[in-house]
Amino acid sequence: MMVGMAGLEGVEQPGQRGSATAARWVPAADDEQALKALELFGNPTEEEVRLPSRPESAATARRLTQCVVLRQWGLPPQTAEHAVLLVSELVGNAVRHTGARVFGLRMLRRRGWLRIEVRDPSRGLPCLMPVHEMDTSGRGLFLVDKLSDRWGVDLLPRGKTTWFEMRVSDH
């Protein structure tokens, strides 16, 4: 299901680029694994990729994101790093909080923007909580809010799509 990128559907949270410190994810020999993930699960830019709702699927989603953003779309490494981190947070929320057997991952690109969506069968809305320096959890949506340009949730007849968008420069 293709959803418009205007952000008019569902609940939108305007985000501003912040200087949130994020754990650095370094794509070492992950290139080969990323290509294998694309081969095995499909390309999330062509259709929604369905992954099992298990913690290890976060690694698959990160690899797919890195491969698409760096290789297919040719965007800068910092954009890929932020996208990978945010995908990890959305997938973590879907796996931990929805009780789903599978979740869907979709990546869209249009002039000046990238959009990544995680769909799950729960209609429970994620909550942006205040974050304190010593908190060890609950930072996921805080990071999404700080590192994306906008994000939101679209309620579906059966479930929801949580998404984020980032501005990107077109070469």
Side-chain angles (χ1 to χ4, degrees):
M1 177 174 123
M2 181 102 163
V3 178
M5 291 179 57
L8 299 175
E9 317 80 25
V11 181
E12 181 180 324
Q13 301 290 327
Q16 296 180 338
R17 287 214 182 272
S19 58
T21 307
R24 198 164 183 80
W25 182 76
V26 182
D30 277 347
D31 254 8
E32 193 175 312
Q33 285 181 307
L35 292 172
K36 274 187 185 157
L38 273 176
E39 202 174 290
L40 193 59
F41 294 101
N43 187 332
T45 66
E46 294 168 4
E47 62 184 359
E48 180 180 274
V49 169
R50 295 169 55 85
L51 297 168
S53 190
R54 294 194 303 260
E56 54 271 23
S57 290
T60 303
R62 286 192 297 270
R63 286 186 193 109
L64 290 169
T65 302
Q66 185 225 356
C67 194
V68 166
V69 175
L70 278 179
R71 285 177 168 255
Q72 191 171 332
W73 291 342
L75 295 171
Q78 185 175 18
T79 301
E81 185 180 317
H82 288 176
V84 163
L85 175 64
L86 300 187
V87 160
S88 196
E89 296 300 339
L90 294 188
V91 166
N93 283 348
V95 169
R96 274 192 301 278
H97 302 299
T98 67
R101 289 202 314 262
V102 297
F103 65 89
L105 177 67
R106 183 98 167 100
M107 299 180 197
L108 306 162
R109 171 92 194 270
R110 77 164 203 214
R111 179 182 288 256
W113 290 91
L114 71 80
R115 176 183 174 113
I116 299 182
E117 305 173 344
V118 174
R119 187 182 58 80
D120 65 67
S122 167
R123 288 178 56 91
L125 294 175
C127 247
L128 179 59
M129 306 294 282
V131 174
H132 305 290
E133 197 174 324
M134 299 305 288
D135 289 350
T136 56
S137 67
R139 293 178 178 265
L141 285 179
F142 173 78
L143 288 172
V144 172
D145 191 55
K146 291 296 175 203
L147 296 177
S148 69
D149 288 291
R150 56 186 181 202
W151 67 276
V153 180
D154 297 335
L155 284 175
L156 306 170
R158 294 179 185 214
K160 69 179 173 298
T161 298
T162 307
W163 54 267
F164 67 86
E165 294 178 350
M166 296 169 68
R167 280 191 185 94
V168 294
S169 60
D170 294 307
H171 300 291

